[in-house]
Amino acid sequence: MSICWQQEGNEVRASAVFALGTLLDMGFDTCRSVGGDEECDDDEKFRAEVSIVKSMLGVASDGSPLVRAEVALGR
């Protein structure tokens, strides 16, 4: 994810924040195994969500108003 935050284009960073916010909003309920019998590990989902939130908070002080607005909205 850090590669997205290093992009020069404001639109690229804002789009990454939007996509990650949408992922958090949708949740990880769609996580399924190939066979459909195995459950997703809740701890793994929680760690992924925390990682995403930390990444998004890291760009909250971005120089671009567009990126900061996307972080604030958190879709």
Side-chain angles (χ1 to χ4, degrees):
M1 280 190 273
S2 64
I3 293 173
C4 291
W5 308 143
Q6 297 171 359
Q7 296 295 318
E8 289 188 28
N10 300 337
E11 295 86 3
V12 174
R13 294 192 312 275
S15 296
V17 170
F18 176 79
L20 291 173
T22 301
L23 177 64
L24 287 175
D25 188 40
M26 300 276 299
F28 289 91
D29 292 337
T30 58
C31 182
R32 299 181 199 116
S33 65
V34 176
D37 294 335
E38 297 179 23
E39 294 183 19
C40 293
D41 184 15
D42 287 338
D43 289 338
E44 184 178 336
K45 290 188 290 186
F46 180 74
R47 285 191 301 270
E49 288 176 347
V50 167
S51 174
I52 291 170
V53 169
K54 284 181 179 179
S55 295
M56 289 176 67
L57 289 175
V59 295
S61 60
D62 190 278
S64 167
L66 180 62
V67 175
R68 290 192 311 264
E70 285 297 332
V71 172
L73 292 175
R75 307 277 175 194

